[in-house]
Amino acid sequence: VNATDNGVTPEDVPILGDMDPDRTDVEMALRFNCMVKGSSEMGLQRQKPFPFKFHNRHSNRPVPRPKRIILMRHGESEGNRDELLYTQKPDWRIPLSQDGLYQSRFAGQEVKNIVGDEDVYLYHSPYSRTVQSCQQIMHALDPGQVRGIREEPRIAEQQFGNLQDLESLRRSKIERRRYGRFFYRFPNGEAGLDVYSRISSFIGTIRRDHLEEDCNVVIVTHGLALRLFLMRWFQWTVEQFESTHNPPNCGLAVMHRDPRDGRYTLTEETLNMIGADKAPTTRSIGRSMLRKAYVDAFLSVQEPGYDRY
């Protein structure tokens, strides 16, 4: 059943909490289709099904959220120029290269152009290269518009082990390309799934700490962590995530919030930057569904790239 074929919009279909146990499976299927409609758009936040707008004791409007969320990968590091450095120095202490400093300074001006005179709250990974990149952004902003700054370990780089053996690291990265970045675990290190879990916890912090409409949140992090943040926020599938790639050094991912429904949208430049414009389209359920009609409708969709069991 397709909701749009019948002229039904999400507002026309009652939310699950209001549904009578005797309602037909057709109505349940309509509700399901309304929720998954548009889920293939990787740059648009999925509509929340329980309910469509957040209810609180004061109003029926969406919860206030920051006007924008801007994520930036750090500038070029000395380790990006010479991998041998990872065998001699702790990863988290490797600084920016001279080019990385220039990149970060330019990116700071880009951030300033985006936010103008609006307030900014900054988060950065504890790694030296992200701290230095964040400092360059700070130089571009007016002191009075910086509402706060916080070091956040949960957005740190994926852990590859301690002082690394270069040949072993190279072999592992070749294996990872074949196996997939999300589930591959480095020996003595993390899988992408581990980074996803801590990023999910960090997103919960953002949702609790930022209940203002007039502020911009800037997050200075690492390439994989940036993509996993977007995956978690926009509820990408693993297949969609695997089709993307890391942004370049100092690449900016910009999320704009629509005040009408509270959802965020990625800019076209961001989608192109990480290759999401070429990602496969999929259907997915963002939340657990307990009624059989939902499960049957989901299982009837043959996902590209997956075998049926």
Side-chain angles (χ1 to χ4, degrees), residues 278-299:
K278 301 178 179 63
T281 58
T282 62
R283 275 181 159 180
S284 61
I285 296 178
R287 296 173 184 268
S288 297
M289 300 300 157
L290 304 179
R291 295 289 289 269
K292 184 174 182 299
Y294 286 95
V295 178
D296 289 345
F298 178 65
L299 293 178

Side-chain angles (χ1 to χ4, degrees), residues 30 42 52 83 96 120 187 251 255 268 270 276 295 297:
L30 282 172
M42 293 177 67
F52 282 98
E83 286 186 321
L96 293 178
V120 176
M255 300 163 51
E268 286 298 323
T270 299
V295 178

Side-chain angles (χ1 to χ4, degrees), residues 21-41:
D22 297 327
R23 287 186 186 274
T24 66
D25 282 352
V26 172
E27 289 174 312
M28 295 293 289
L30 282 172
R31 180 65 177 166
F32 169 78
N33 281 338
C34 286
M35 284 188 290
V36 300
K37 183 179 184 295
S39 63
S40 62
E41 298 180 34

